[in-house]
Amino acid sequence: MEIPVPQIDSYLASAAFSSMLFVALGFAWRTYRQRYLVYWAAYWGLYSVIWPCIAFLEARAGAVPPNDPVAVALDALTMLCGLAARLSLAFGVLAYLGRPLPARRVRSALAAGATAFTAASTVAHVLATSHHAPAWVGAPFHAYVVGVPLYLALAVVAWVASRRHSHAAPRRLLAAATLAGGLSDLWDVYLNLRAAAGGWLTEALALRLSAFGTHAADALMAVAMMVAAIGEEWTRAEGAAAQLRRSEARLRSLFENALDVIAVVDLQGTLRFASPSAPRVLGQAPGSLLGSRVLELVHPEDREAAAAMLRQVLERPEVSHLMELRLRRGDGSYAPVEVVGQLRELEPGDRAVVLAVRDVSERRTLESRLQQSQRLETIGRLAGGVAHDFNNLLTAVLANLQMLEGSLPPDHPGRAELQDASLAAERATRLTRQLLTFARRQVVAPRVLDLNEVVASMDRMVGRLIGEHIGRRVRLGPGLWPVRVDPTQLEQLLVNLVVNARDAMGSGGMLLVETGNASLGNGLRAADEIDVPAGDWVRLVVEDTGHGMDEATLGRIFEPFFTTKEPGQGTGLGLATVHGIVQQAGGHVRVRSAPGAGARFAVWFPRHHGAPAPAVADAREPAAGGNETILLAEDEPQVRAIAARVLSGRGYVVLQASDGAQALRAAAAHAGPIHLLVTDVVMPELGGRDLAERLAADRPGLRVLFTSGYTAGGLAEGAAFLPKPFTPDQLASRVRELLDEVLPVNPRS
């Protein structure tokens, strides 16, 4: 049988057009691997291969009776192919728009429904052609019942999606194409109905008009799909380019703001590149460094080691090499740096040494301060032990001198020598107390103070200390936070710093005393703030314009007995005392100085949250003497003998013990009350604190007076303490004061 020309045109045009789209979408899927391209390729594959072949065979079987099994099967396959193509189009549109696809079960149900619909339409067609059902039952528009609503729904979905997208044109074109597909199906229904009714619209004309509408809709659908695919990839490319630009900007920002210097050196040792952080580390712009020999920037003493490192980098390119050296700054000074180098192939055939240069000046400073702190801690422990033993000796010396002086008549010729000896012993006492302050063993009485008030009250004395040839400026920070420190020690600290500044300005200069609040975070710090912990601090600055100090002197200024003065001009304990006072107050002291540039001492006290306490008036010394019983525990025989003689001479009953264990036995053997325990803090086996606790449990209300050359860990808040060395009058006065405070006399339990 001869196939009608319109049908041939339709089949050939559809096959050729669909084949081109199928191939184009196939190539696009191989390149971009987007899911929607697979569905659209399947849509055009059904049009380009399956449907034309079936339609051609159906046309060839046109002379076969309509109910022939071959004709029925071909008609069913044509309808099933159309339904499958429409579902592929729908899935592709949903995937392109980013909408979730139906689940596997739903897709299986849709396939089963398309098969059932095809079977039902085929049965209806057979019944109608065999005159077992009305003719309209087998009309050829059953498939359009699925196609038209599906096309219209996809058009609505694509149009709504275009309104929420930055690139709306491809989605709107896809909406127009799916709408045109639905209208094309309606156009086919109309033509079939008109041709069946007879009249001017012949079957051949209806076939050509249908082919025209179908080809127009297919062309629009093809253009829409290609534009959508190109637009989607264009959008992806734009997003990738924007992400790449953001990534490059982020990397550039990290690179430009990195603390390390990244440098590239060629195989001849010439600097080819330096990162923007070069001015911060080396004080030179990257452009001024390019082209220079890298070894010329190295300190002469480090060049041989640097050259050896470069040779190792070339010989072992797989290993990163590390060394520390000094590089020349723009001002001619040298910065200690840490260099990591490795051989890299920057481009094919272009090998160079990549160096990461890190400034370790701050780390060196912290290491130096840590070593100094450890050295001072060791010296402090030694000084504390020496001062403790020395104070025991001074206690015996002072007590014997005072008692001997009291036993001589006023006109005795030896009184002058005794007074000179007493003055020398008192001077030795001051030295030991300075050592204890440095070692943080001195007993303190901290109070909440306003630092501005202390500085202002001492301004006149500071003027007398420095003399008229030195000018002074005092800048008191407003709203200063309170600090908790011993007021006597604070005054001593300020005097020592002022005297140190005065001695550095022998020919005159300017002294600055400044206070202020400072809240330190975890960011970049000034030189005198590097290792001060974050938090709120009150800062006291004493700065002079004197001759300054070199690094060697700065490393030792807080050591006891270290001084740069002439012999006999100083003890070397002034700054050591400052260090001890600050450490005992929980603060920090930092020094910045250079030869000829003066010195700046910055003292950091922790902020105290609370109002300053009012000043406390000195209590009058009570009268000495009494008849109470005192338990005396002292491990130093000379001190114990002198204290017992002083107390017995004033009428007290004294029970003596050489250590804590013996004191417990003496208390247990004494049947009467014990009014006061006088005990050394540090004793072998059982110390004074433990002794007092055990006796207090047996004798409630027992008063305790602690004595020691240093506290060795501190005493409880409010504990009575008499520091060594003490005089007989001081011991008797303190004992009487405590006994007068006792209300009940403790019986032995």
Side-chain angles (χ1 to χ4, degrees):
M1 168 184 176
E2 184 180 359
I3 302 174
V5 174
Q7 282 185 317
I8 295 176
D9 294 344
S10 176
Y11 299 156
L12 291 178
S14 296
F17 198 79
S18 300
S19 297
M20 288 189 294
L21 264 295
F22 174 77
V23 173
L25 291 171
F27 276 113
W29 179 82
R30 289 189 61 185
T31 304
Y32 302 114
R33 300 286 176 175
Q34 299 299 324
R35 191 176 185 182
Y36 68 91
L37 294 173
V38 178
Y39 289 112
W40 285 353
Y43 169 76
W44 290 107
L46 290 170
Y47 267 7
S48 64
V49 180
I50 307 300
W51 185 85
C53 292
I54 297 174
F56 180 79
L57 293 175
E58 190 177 14
R60 290 281 296 175
V64 179
N67 291 336
D68 184 83
V70 175
V72 171
L74 291 175
D75 185 63
L77 287 176
T78 302
M79 183 177 298
L80 188 61
C81 181
L83 291 175
R86 286 171 171 82
L87 288 177
S88 297
L89 173 65
F91 290 160
V93 170
L94 293 177
Y96 168 73
L97 297 176
R99 305 293 292 271
L101 295 179
R104 181 183 296 273
R105 292 182 179 179
V106 177
R107 294 198 297 271
S108 300
L110 290 175
T115 303
F117 182 82
T118 300
S121 298
T122 301
V123 170
H125 177 73
V126 171
L127 292 175
T129 53
S130 60
H131 304 292
H132 291 89
W136 61 268
V137 173
F141 56 81
H142 292 88
Y144 302 126
V145 174
V146 175
V148 172
L150 182 64
Y151 279 124
L152 296 179
L154 292 177
V156 172
V157 172
W159 179 264
V160 172
S162 70
R163 300 177 62 183
R164 297 193 298 265
H165 200 272
S166 57
H167 298 283
R171 285 165 167 72
R172 291 181 179 178
L173 184 60
L174 187 62
T178 52
L179 179 62
L183 295 177
S184 173
D185 281 357
L186 289 177
W187 175 247
D188 286 347
V189 171
Y190 170 75
L191 292 178
N192 288 333
L193 292 176
R194 291 290 299 177
W200 60 273
L201 185 62
T202 63
E203 185 175 349
L205 180 59
L207 184 60
R208 290 186 179 277
L209 291 176
S210 175
F212 175 79
T214 300
H215 296 336
D218 288 347
L220 184 59
M221 182 67 71
V223 171
M225 286 183 176
M226 296 309 297
V227 169
I230 294 172
E232 184 67 17
E233 296 312 317
W234 183 268
T235 302
R236 294 179 188 276
E238 282 186 340
Q243 184 176 1
L244 179 61
R245 288 193 297 271
R246 289 193 297 269
S247 178
E248 289 179 348
R250 183 166 55 251
L251 290 176
R252 187 182 303 110
S253 176
L254 293 174
F255 187 71
E256 292 177 352
N257 294 283
L259 297 178
D260 297 348
V261 177
I262 308 299
V264 177
V265 179
D266 62 20
L267 301 184
Q268 289 73 39
T270 303
L271 191 65
R272 289 170 41 185
F273 172 81
S275 63
S277 53
R280 182 166 51 248
V281 177
L282 299 177
Q284 302 184 65
S288 63
L289 297 172
L290 300 184
S292 59
R293 304 284 293 179
V294 69
L295 291 180
E296 295 177 356
L297 302 174
V298 180
H299 193 281
E301 297 177 0
D302 300 335
R303 285 178 186 171
E304 184 176 350
M309 173 191 170
L310 290 177
R311 288 194 298 269
Q312 292 176 0
V313 169
L314 298 178
E315 293 170 359
R316 302 183 61 189
E318 72 281 0
V319 180
S320 296
H321 300 268
L322 169 67
M323 75 170 298
E324 290 191 12
L325 47 82
R326 289 164 289 179
L327 292 181
R328 189 177 68 245
R329 300 181 189 268
D331 58 1
S333 63
Y334 286 89
V337 297
E338 186 178 75
V339 180
V340 179
Q342 190 171 17
L343 188 65
R344 294 288 187 179
E345 189 172 15
L346 303 181
E347 295 179 2
D350 181 18
R351 296 196 307 167
V353 179
V354 178
L355 301 176
V357 182
R358 172 171 296 179
D359 187 357
V360 295
S361 301
E362 181 176 326
R363 190 176 73 191
R364 290 281 184 86
T365 301
L366 294 177
E367 290 174 352
S368 175
R369 288 179 178 171
L370 176 61
Q371 293 172 358
Q372 183 188 34
S373 176
Q374 292 173 340
R375 184 171 64 252
L376 292 177
E377 185 69 24
T378 302
I379 297 174
R381 286 196 295 268
L382 176 62
V386 171
H388 171 260
D389 295 337
F390 197 53
N391 275 335
N392 283 330
L393 300 177
L394 285 175
T395 301
V397 171
L398 283 172
N400 282 297
L401 288 175
Q402 189 181 67
M403 288 188 292
L404 181 58
E405 184 180 358
S407 65
L408 296 178
D411 57 349
H412 193 280
R415 291 185 67 89
E417 286 78 3
L418 287 176
Q419 290 174 353
D420 289 341
S422 297
L423 291 175
E426 290 175 1
R427 183 181 178 189
T429 300
R430 288 194 295 271
L431 289 177
T432 57
R433 286 179 177 170
Q434 286 180 310
L435 281 175
L436 289 171
T437 300
F438 162 74
R440 287 173 286 164
R441 299 293 190 268
Q442 180 69 18
V443 179
V444 296
R447 288 175 44 211
V448 181
L449 303 173
D450 184 344
L451 189 57
N452 281 346
E453 292 182 0
V454 176
V455 174
S457 65
M458 296 184 64
D459 184 54
R460 180 175 299 178
M461 183 184 69
V462 168
R464 291 197 301 267
L465 284 174
I466 62 176
E468 297 181 356
H469 65 294
I470 297 176
R472 73 179 188 277
R473 288 184 297 167
V474 178
R475 292 204 294 256
L476 303 179
L480 205 65
W481 296 322
V483 297
R484 190 172 185 271
V485 64
D486 188 309
T488 303
Q489 287 195 336
L490 182 58
E491 293 175 357
Q492 184 181 7
L493 176 147
L494 185 58
V495 168
N496 288 352
L497 290 179
V498 168
V499 170
N500 184 76
R502 179 201 64 190
D503 295 341
M505 297 184 291
S507 58
M510 178 61 68
L511 173 71
L512 170 66
V513 179
E514 181 182 27
T515 63
N517 297 328
S519 294
L520 300 182
N522 295 318
L524 295 177
R525 304 282 192 86
D528 55 0
E529 302 173 354
I530 289 177
D531 56 346
V532 179
D536 293 338
W537 299 88
V538 178
R539 181 178 57 199
L540 170 65
V541 175
V542 177
E543 186 173 356
D544 64 70
T545 59
H547 50 70
M549 295 173 282
D550 55 21
E551 292 187 6
T553 303
L554 281 174
R556 302 189 60 191
I557 57 175
F558 294 123
E559 293 182 9
F561 307 116
F562 173 77
T563 179
T564 58
K565 300 175 184 177
E566 296 295 329
Q569 297 297 316
T571 62
L573 288 173
L575 293 181
T577 304
V578 169
H579 181 272
I581 292 172
V582 175
Q583 291 290 308
Q584 205 162 14
H588 303 270
V589 57
R590 298 292 177 259
V591 188
R592 192 172 66 209
S593 182
R600 172 187 170 91
F601 285 78
V603 180
W604 302 82
F605 291 109
R607 174 186 181 182
H608 180 80
H609 295 275
V616 179
D618 294 335
R620 293 184 303 170
E621 185 176 342
N627 57 4
E628 292 89 348
T629 301
I630 298 175
L631 176 58
L632 174 63
E634 170 61 58
D635 62 326
E636 182 63 36
Q638 288 181 306
V639 176
R640 184 173 67 251
I642 291 173
R645 190 165 62 180
V646 169
L647 296 176
S648 299
R650 284 167 172 76
Y652 299 108
V653 178
V654 180
L655 307 177
Q656 298 186 48
S658 60
D659 55 37
Q662 188 176 358
L664 288 177
R665 291 193 295 269
H670 183 68
I674 297 177
H675 301 82
L676 177 67
L677 169 65
V678 179
T679 177
D680 191 7
V681 176
V682 181
M683 292 186 297
E685 295 187 14
L686 186 65
R689 285 181 293 249
D690 295 334
L691 171 63
E693 291 178 2
R694 295 176 65 171
L695 284 178
D698 189 50
R699 297 174 179 270
L702 176 68
R703 294 295 186 181
V704 181
L705 174 61
F706 292 101
T707 67
S708 181
Y710 69 104
T711 58
L715 297 172
E717 185 86 18
F721 183 78
L722 180 62
K724 295 179 182 178
F726 50 78
T727 64
D729 289 341
Q730 290 172 336
L731 174 61
S733 175
R734 194 74 175 100
V735 165
R736 188 68 258 165
E737 178 185 345
L738 289 175
L739 289 174
D740 287 344
E741 293 178 359
V742 176
L743 296 179
V745 175
N746 60 321
R748 182 182 177 187
S749 56

